[in-house]
Amino acid sequence: MGETVRDSDRRIGRRALLIGGAAAAVGSAVLAREELAHLYWRLPGVRRKRVEGAVDFRGARWVAASEANFRWADRPDDYGVDMVVIHVTQGDLASAVKAFEDPGHRAAAHYIVGQDGGVTQMIRELDVAYHAGNRAYNERSVGIEHEGFVDRPEDFTDAMYAASARLTARICARYGIPVDRDHIIGHVEVPGTDHTDPGEHWDWDRYLRLVRKARTASA
């Protein structure tokens, strides 16, 4: 599951304000535009208009994560998305949903895939979820949790693999992400993390075959 320490610096600091002021002073439109795109969403109370209950993956159910567990953004306009991070919940679906709704948890992923193949979305792909334990990876990735435990291969069902592969294929298509192990990674592979998921029982070869098949079918 995602890290329990929240992503840092939700407010604009002195350095950010100085950068913005310098950009305005020198009249650099490119610098100003890039900085403002990254900083605008950190202003208190500012967020892009959203359709309540909207999802990014057709058929997903929407359950909102606590606002303490993600950062409002406008991806990919402010942060490019070029990676999918695979997680395992280390618990059942209900407990994962409850954790991501809890502001004290300080972590959440965009999606949870159940053992029955159901997909729950808790954070819009527009926004930066606190799931990877690394700020830069949070900003550039979509996080997908999978119901179960890393030491129980039976938890990774056919329905789960198939549904998750369809989800990842759609994410890759939306952002032009290559379907390979450089861009679809496990939480364990994120620099600085102390997590081990999805673990040795996650069948990467099978998963990537399914993602490629789903990607081709939707092309």
Side-chain angles (χ1 to χ4, degrees), residues 93-106:
L93 177 63
S95 65
V97 170
K98 184 176 180 180
F100 294 169
E101 290 178 311
D102 178 6
H105 189 62
R106 300 297 185 182

Side-chain angles (χ1 to χ4, degrees), residues 10-106:
R10 296 191 65 182
R11 298 181 179 178
I12 297 179
R14 181 173 179 274
R15 178 179 177 275
L17 290 173
L18 288 174
I19 290 173
V26 300
S28 173
V30 173
L31 176 61
R33 184 168 59 251
E34 290 178 353
E35 289 298 332
L36 287 173
H38 284 76
L39 298 175
Y40 178 73
W41 299 101
R42 299 185 196 179
L43 289 170
V46 174
R47 68 187 67 172
R48 180 177 174 177
K49 286 187 177 181
R50 311 296 170 90
V51 176
E52 185 175 356
V55 295
D56 298 302
F57 182 70
R58 182 179 298 178
R61 68 161 179 155
W62 173 257
V63 180
S66 168
E67 292 185 20
N69 297 331
F70 68 94
R71 189 169 78 234
W72 298 106
D74 189 18
R75 302 190 311 171
D77 290 340
D78 50 2
Y79 300 104
V81 178
D82 65 357
M83 192 168 289
V84 176
V85 180
I86 302 299
H87 302 262
V88 174
T89 60
Q90 290 299 95
D92 62 19
L93 177 63
S95 65
V97 170
K98 184 176 180 180
F100 294 169
E101 290 178 311
D102 178 6
H105 189 62
R106 300 297 185 182

Side-chain angles (χ1 to χ4, degrees), residues 103-114:
H105 189 62
R106 300 297 185 182
H110 295 90
Y111 295 97
I112 309 172
V113 180

Side-chain angles (χ1 to χ4, degrees), residues 119-184:
V119 176
T120 301
Q121 183 168 6
M122 300 194 67
I123 298 170
R124 291 292 305 276
E125 291 176 18
L126 288 163
D127 299 321
V128 177
Y130 304 157
H131 68 96
N134 178 307
R135 179 171 180 152
Y137 276 67
N138 285 344
E139 290 171 347
R140 68 188 290 194
S141 68
V142 174
I144 305 176
E145 289 277 2
H146 296 81
E147 178 186 17
F149 293 85
V150 295
D151 59 350
R152 287 170 37 176
E154 64 272 20
D155 287 351
F156 304 142
T157 65
D158 292 345
M160 173 185 285
Y161 272 118
S164 179
R166 289 192 296 271
L167 172 58
T168 294
R170 291 306 306 148
I171 294 168
C172 289
R174 188 160 25 252
Y175 303 107
I177 302 172
V179 180
D180 58 38
R181 288 287 283 114
D182 290 326
H183 297 86
I184 303 173

